[in-house]
Amino acid sequence: MSHLFRRSAAALLILGAPGAVLAQTQSGNSFNPKISLILNGQYAHYSSKAPADVAGALLGGESDYAPEGFSIGETELAIESNIDDQFHGWTAISIGNDGHGNADVSVEEAYINTLALPDGLAVKLGRFFSDIGYQNHVHAHAWDFADAPLVYRTFFGGQLGDDGVQLRWLAPTDLFLEIGAEGLRGDAFPAGGDSRSGVEAWTAFAHVGGDIGFSGSWRLGAWHYDGKSDDRRSSGDEDVDTSFTGKSHINGLDFVYKWAPNGNPEVHNFVLQAEAMRRSENGSVIYDPDGAADASAYDGTQFGWYVQGVYQFIQRWRVGLRYDRMNASNSVANPVGGTSLATLADDGDHPQRVSAMLDFSNSEFSRIRLQYNRDESRPDNKADNQILVQYIFAMGSHPAHQF
Amino acid sequence: MKPYLIVAALGLGAVFSQTASAAALKVFTCEPEWGALLQELGGDHLDVYVATSALQDVHKIQPRPSLIAKYRQADLVVCTGSELEIGWLPPLAEKGNNPRVIPGAAGYFEASRYVHMLEVPEKLDRSEGDVHPFGNPHIQTSPENIGLVAKPLADKLAELDPADKADYAQRYASFDTRWQAAMAKWTAEAAPLKGVAVVSAHKGWVYMYHWLGMTEVATLEPKPGIPPSGADLENVLATLKRTPAKMVVYAAYQDPRPVGWMEEHSGLPGARLPFSPGGLKGTDDLFGFYDVTIQQLLNALNGKSS
């Protein structure tokens, strides 16, 4: 006791009165949830003003490019907390900008997950980013490029997030092995439309991973997505709807390898990330269902992949390169010229894009990025030179990112 | 593939997992010092996995798949706590699906709860850098703290593995005797370091300075976690002209270039310390860890850079 008292007294003399401050920080608001606010804005310049269509595909919502000029992008408010000894809760509210000066508030994620199920099981319930693919569950502010890979933009409108339930099991082995499945409402692209009365979309995924020596680690994933659409509406730049009724199936593979000398990423580190996915769809498409109503039967498959590498060459500075490519083989019975049916039928092009980025992170909480895209994803592969300057700042509780 | 097949596969996996159990208590430690302490306190009763090495910056660890797989199997998790692992332990808990070791469970042990925390900030503001609201978490830099953690950790082992309770008590008693003797030896050896002024690369050594009576006149990092720029190093150099110091103290995992610059421009020797067991040759166990730490400091005091 007296020994402890002497230590404390000495500490008080040296450092002022830290004990009093400790007591203060541990009481009062300590049961408030962790809150963080992420500012993620940009300046964009595009050399092409043509509509942002992709040859051989119908795009969903949130597939447009970020507006030209300055825009605040998505401001994300995240709140998380343990609810009790069994449940943890997480909510991410995104405040976007529709490009016309109007705020666009959306619930990106709002879920609870279990903390204490036995036998390596966990359940997630609510709205969440699916665990399919590698990049899908990562929030936009943590991506290594300012925009989503072309195949994510085309197949999922950027990212698959839907309402539902996820069951996940983690094997008790030294090799990382997890499998899981999700039953979803089916509101998120490529599913959507009317009669969302049950499980209208579902997924299954498996991940394996491990280390290579002290410096490397990897994860490999395989997944499947299945969704139904019933008069799903999407609109292009002309604000004319296209309706789809039918089924979409997607199979995917994803791989990531991370390297840091002796596992210390402080000065140098490297991340290699690659994903490939194949979508097959069949059903019927109607262009301008409330007007001219040009209808067509549609049966098609699209394949897309990307590979990207990001290297931190000096403390706080990283460079990255990304290559995106897609192709399609579609059968559209009635490809009416000048409509989205013609864009969908246009499967002779190979949409592709090359991106390069440089970013600087003053601390874990701030990042500024310069990115250049040579985008040839529009019909006829017309090149669009895109320049993006992005900033990402995180306020509040410490960010924790998944692998 | 149908959804119910997947659910059936999940259920089957869960049944298989129950058959996997081992005799030894599986311990997941966040830092090498707790792995080394558990070797002393538990020996063969434990199967210890150390998640990080002394050559890594423990603030910045990726929640890698291999760590999730180890976390899943642990009976006990031993970490420093006080938010040192805040960037990666919560993701492990979320993905690791292991109710035995989540914070608050019997299998979660936070070492910093048992020591008196220093440098608890009076103001929590990120403009001060990556500050730790509960105080400086680098408690392993003083052997006094290891001594304070050993008893509650031995008690925790006895609680989770009551069959070997007597052995844990006997191992703790043996360790404590040797530890008190070793601390007396280190304190005597380190007598010339009392009152010595130093520059640190990172604010990582407050417990060691407090233990040995050394004083820190400057840090190379302008704020914790923010690497020094050329201007920051010039500022430290100017500070040293007004307030001279004897050496630059840095950890084995840190970028040696700012330290090299400072050694060259100030003429001060650098003291490269292991920071955690395994950081330098001969520091794999706790006794060697402090032996080498004291020796490196004494070498620098005698003008010998490491």
Side-chain angles (χ1 to χ4, degrees):
Chain A
M1 177 64 205
S2 64
H3 175 65
L4 256 182
F5 176 72
R6 271 205 311 278
R7 283 170 44 82
S8 313
L12 288 175
L13 283 175
I14 291 168
L15 297 154
V21 179
L22 183 67
Q24 193 186 350
T25 54
Q26 281 180 341
S27 66
N29 63 1
S30 61
F31 282 110
N32 282 349
K34 281 195 258 179
I35 298 174
S36 63
L37 183 73
I38 291 156
L39 304 181
N40 176 5
Q42 60 197 335
Y43 180 88
H45 171 77
Y46 310 127
S47 70
S48 167
K49 312 298 176 202
D53 295 331
V54 173
L58 294 173
L59 297 181
E62 296 193 34
S63 302
D64 289 343
Y65 295 126
E68 284 207 80
F70 286 105
S71 66
I72 56 167
E74 284 187 347
T75 303
E76 184 186 292
L77 177 67
I79 299 178
E80 83 169 298
S81 176
N82 285 337
I83 292 162
D84 54 25
D85 59 329
Q86 296 282 330
F87 300 103
H88 168 262
W90 161 270
T91 306
I93 311 277
S94 155
I95 304 154
N97 192 316
D98 66 356
H100 306 290
N102 302 317
D104 181 8
V105 178
S106 66
V107 178
E108 266 194 342
E109 288 193 293
Y111 65 78
I112 59 104
N113 59 292
T114 58
L115 295 170
L117 290 188
D119 301 322
L121 290 166
V123 170
K124 195 184 268 190
L125 188 64
R127 176 173 300 176
F128 50 85
F129 287 136
S130 168
D131 268 325
I132 59 163
Y134 175 72
Q135 180 159 313
N136 193 70
H137 75 277
V138 181
H139 284 248
H141 60 83
W143 294 349
D144 287 333
F145 287 82
D147 42 19
L150 189 54
V151 66
Y152 271 104
R153 177 172 158 240
T154 307
F155 286 6
F156 293 115
Q159 230 168 341
L160 177 65
D162 206 343
D163 302 357
V165 59
Q166 180 196 72
L167 177 64
R168 188 170 57 86
W169 176 70
L170 181 62
T173 50
D174 283 355
L175 176 76
F176 171 80
L177 168 63
E178 72 171 2
I179 54 176
E182 295 158 349
L184 303 171
R185 177 179 169 79
D187 251 344
F189 191 87
D194 299 333
S195 66
R196 303 291 96 182
S197 53
V199 176
E200 305 294 335
W202 62 271
T203 73
F205 57 86
H207 299 134
V208 290
D211 288 345
I212 302 170
F214 290 113
S215 303
S217 55
W218 60 278
R219 200 192 83 167
L220 178 67
W223 56 271
H224 177 79
Y225 168 91
D226 208 308
K228 280 184 257 176
S229 297
D230 183 2
D231 192 17
R232 180 198 76 201
R233 299 293 181 98
S234 50
S235 62
D237 272 14
E238 307 88 9
D239 288 331
V240 178
D241 280 1
T242 298
S243 159
F244 171 69
T245 299
K247 288 180 178 172
S248 306
H249 312 275
I250 310 177
N251 289 309
L253 285 174
D254 56 275
F255 176 74
V256 62
Y257 170 76
K258 298 192 181 188
W259 173 89
N262 290 313
N264 183 352
E266 180 72 17
V267 183
H268 300 295
N269 65 71
F270 176 68
V271 179
L272 177 72
Q273 175 182 332
E275 299 194 56
M277 43 188 111
R278 185 174 186 277
R279 179 171 73 176
S280 54
E281 293 188 299
N282 64 75
S284 59
V285 181
I286 306 172
Y287 176 75
D288 196 8
D290 304 319
D294 294 310
S296 175
Y298 153 56
D299 189 343
T301 60
Q302 297 100 34
F303 179 73
W305 58 276
Y306 74 92
V307 57
Q308 69 183 47
V310 175
Y311 179 57
Q312 179 171 309
F313 58 99
I314 184 174
Q315 255 174 347
R316 305 194 276 181
W317 289 89
R318 308 188 310 163
V319 285
L321 270 179
R322 178 181 65 187
Y323 180 69
D324 283 286
R325 190 171 173 88
M326 299 194 61
N327 60 57
S329 172
N330 296 339
S331 157
V332 180
N334 181 28
V336 181
T339 71
S340 55
L341 295 171
T343 308
L344 183 60
D346 175 13
D347 59 5
D349 298 326
H350 299 288
Q352 62 173 350
R353 179 175 62 179
V354 180
S355 311
M357 78 87 189
L358 172 72
D359 68 22
F360 170 75
S361 306
N362 182 54
S363 70
E364 284 175 273
F365 308 97
S366 62
R367 175 170 287 165
I368 298 169
R369 173 178 292 142
L370 174 67
Q371 182 176 327
Y372 166 76
N373 295 333
R374 183 175 173 81
D375 183 329
E376 297 173 13
S377 64
R378 288 185 175 87
D380 303 323
N381 292 129
K382 284 185 189 129
D384 182 5
N385 292 303
Q386 306 177 334
I387 294 183
L388 300 160
V389 181
Q390 184 192 22
Y391 62 84
I392 304 160
F393 294 101
M395 292 182 264
S397 64
H398 201 287
H401 293 300
Q402 302 288 355
F403 180 79
Chain B
M1 196 151 56
K2 291 278 191 288
Y4 62 82
L5 278 180
I6 297 153
V7 173
L10 286 169
L12 203 63
V15 172
F16 272 121
S17 73
Q18 288 202 314
T19 59
S21 73
L25 202 61
K26 288 191 171 175
V27 192
F28 177 105
T29 62
C30 289
E31 290 87 17
E33 46 274 19
W34 312 127
L37 181 57
L38 284 160
Q39 290 301 345
E40 303 284 347
L41 298 176
D44 292 343
H45 298 306
L46 309 179
D47 175 1
V48 177
Y49 174 73
V50 182
T52 63
S53 88
L55 296 180
Q56 294 177 315
D57 179 350
V58 75
H59 299 92
K60 293 172 189 165
I61 301 295
Q62 287 268 344
R64 301 192 306 276
S66 59
L67 297 188
I68 297 171
K70 286 290 187 181
Y71 185 95
R72 157 76 168 91
Q73 301 173 70
D75 300 305
L76 172 63
V77 165
V78 178
C79 296
T80 297
S82 290
E83 300 205 341
L84 177 60
E85 304 92 358
I86 190 153
W88 54 283
L89 198 57
L92 289 186
E94 186 181 338
K95 301 295 274 184
N97 299 4
N98 186 346
R100 295 187 298 272
V101 297
I102 55 173
Y108 178 70
F109 183 92
E110 207 174 273
S112 61
R113 285 182 175 224
Y114 302 96
V115 309
H116 181 85
M117 299 299 285
L118 300 179
E119 288 185 347
V120 178
E122 291 182 33
K123 177 176 145 208
L124 289 179
D125 190 318
R126 286 272 156 67
S127 66
E128 303 295 311
D130 190 7
V131 291
H132 294 279
F134 298 109
N136 189 311
H138 305 297
I139 59 174
Q140 83 286 359
T141 58
S142 164
E144 292 176 306
N145 288 337
I146 300 292
L148 291 172
V149 173
K151 178 74 170 77
L153 187 54
D155 291 345
K156 177 57 75 179
L157 295 176
E159 178 195 328
L160 294 181
D161 178 19
D164 296 313
K165 194 175 174 180
D167 199 41
Y168 291 128
Q170 187 246 316
R171 279 172 175 274
Y172 168 72
S174 153
F175 171 75
D176 192 49
T177 308
R178 287 178 292 134
W179 198 248
Q180 297 307 330
M183 279 209 290
K185 185 193 80 167
W186 292 321
T187 311
E189 283 174 358
L193 294 163
K194 200 170 173 64
V196 167
V198 299
V199 178
S200 323
H202 172 71
K203 266 204 167 298
W205 310 97
V206 60
Y207 298 94
M208 182 180 80
Y209 297 154
H210 187 215
W211 168 47
L212 298 176
M214 300 164 77
T215 57
E216 182 179 72
V217 299
T219 57
L220 300 187
E221 284 184 352
K223 302 278 165 66
I226 305 217
S229 65
D232 295 324
L233 295 174
E234 293 283 1
N235 279 342
V236 174
L237 206 56
T239 306
L240 285 174
K241 294 222 165 76
R242 297 192 302 273
T243 329
K246 294 281 192 192
M247 63 183 85
V248 185
V249 174
Y250 67 108
Y253 76 81
Q254 281 165 334
D255 183 9
R257 283 173 303 180
V259 179
W261 188 96
M262 189 52 63
E263 287 183 46
E264 192 181 314
H265 289 80
S266 66
L268 295 181
R272 187 168 193 245
L273 305 187
F275 194 64
S276 271
L280 293 177
K281 203 163 173 279
T283 62
D284 285 345
D285 71 53
L286 283 170
F287 293 91
F289 170 55
Y290 292 105
D291 280 340
V292 170
T293 298
I294 300 284
Q295 196 53 52
Q296 295 286 90
L297 288 169
L298 290 172
N299 286 349
L301 190 64
N302 295 326
K304 212 170 104 192
S305 202
S306 47

